[in-house]
Amino acid sequence: MADLKVKRRVLSACQTNCYYVYREGADDIVIIDPGSNGEIVYDDIKGLGFEKVAGILLTHGHGDHTGGARRLKELSGAKIYAYEDEAEILKDPEKNLSGWFGIAYGFDADEYFHDKQTFTMAGVTFTVFYTPGHTKGGCCYYVEEDGVLFCGDTIFNGSVGRTDFYSGSINELARSIRDRILTLPDETKLYSGHGDRTTVEYERKYNPCL
């Protein structure tokens, strides 16, 4: 199987990580959390040589992660996907905090995932992990064969996601991290919504919030 490639583009005032995920030699690409500017992301995609976006995956509904999603959909024709319990936040400008980053908005994803759902896009097989806590419908995307987890704002390098926004819960967040992330193999690479890449082993040993 061709190597998995993960490239990061930092976008928005919150320095949000947008990830470009693809197999070497593939014809299409997956975008995770397109930050605040869909046009920048689309230009990057073209620069990487891709003509097709297989899907736009959202880890949760906050505006710094979703602001570019609708424009990227317009430019690429790709569908937007999110976890089913995040629909309320996506559609409500007050709850998704979009006004903090410019014009407030709300929208529906084209399709919603459920927990443990497995799907393949651009030759990459993902499993959805339901990880509430930062928001009630937050999720992570696990690529088991490559040992990679895209974890949004659930856990960071040396920290964890905030729980003081609408539907946040420190107890739910702790449970999500304990049961869904720290149970993965030590070498699993964690690609978070903000900051640098880390691993399960490093966070288990050194994250002061755990």
Side-chain angles (χ1 to χ4, degrees), residues 148-170:
V148 167
L149 183 75
F150 298 95
C151 45
D153 287 2
T154 302
I155 188 170
F156 304 124
N157 187 326
S159 187
V160 297
R162 293 175 62 166
T163 58
D164 56 332
F165 298 129
Y166 172 76
S167 80
S169 166
I170 188 62

Side-chain angles (χ1 to χ4, degrees), residues 80-127:
I80 300 172
Y81 300 81
Y83 193 78
E84 56 190 353
D85 287 0
E86 198 73 348
E88 177 191 5
I89 292 174
L90 278 175
K91 291 186 283 189
D92 190 323
E94 291 188 6
K95 294 171 181 176
N96 64 37
L97 311 177
S98 53
W100 291 20
F101 309 100
I103 298 173
Y105 60 81
F107 66 94
D108 236 332
D110 295 292
E111 294 188 24
Y112 288 99
F113 294 126
H114 57 262
D115 191 28
K116 300 180 182 179
Q117 181 173 343
T118 297
F119 62 96
T120 300
M121 288 182 180
V124 182
T125 299
F126 299 88
T127 300

Side-chain angles (χ1 to χ4, degrees), residues 10-83:
V10 180
L11 297 164
S12 90
C14 291
Q15 298 291 286
T16 303
N17 291 331
C18 169
Y19 293 107
Y20 308 158
V21 184
Y22 59 96
R23 294 278 180 205
E24 187 171 348
D27 295 325
D28 50 0
I29 187 170
V30 175
I31 305 301
I32 300 178
D33 288 349
S36 59
N37 194 310
E39 292 184 0
I40 288 176
V41 175
Y42 190 66
D43 286 345
D44 285 349
I45 292 166
K46 303 291 278 188
L48 289 168
F50 291 98
E51 297 295 329
K52 181 181 178 183
V53 176
I56 302 165
L57 309 184
L58 304 179
T59 60
H60 64 288
H62 286 158
D64 59 318
H65 291 253
T66 65
R70 292 174 301 162
R71 180 58 176 154
L72 180 57
K73 175 184 174 179
E74 290 176 3
L75 292 168
S76 68
K79 289 184 178 181
I80 300 172
Y81 300 81
Y83 193 78

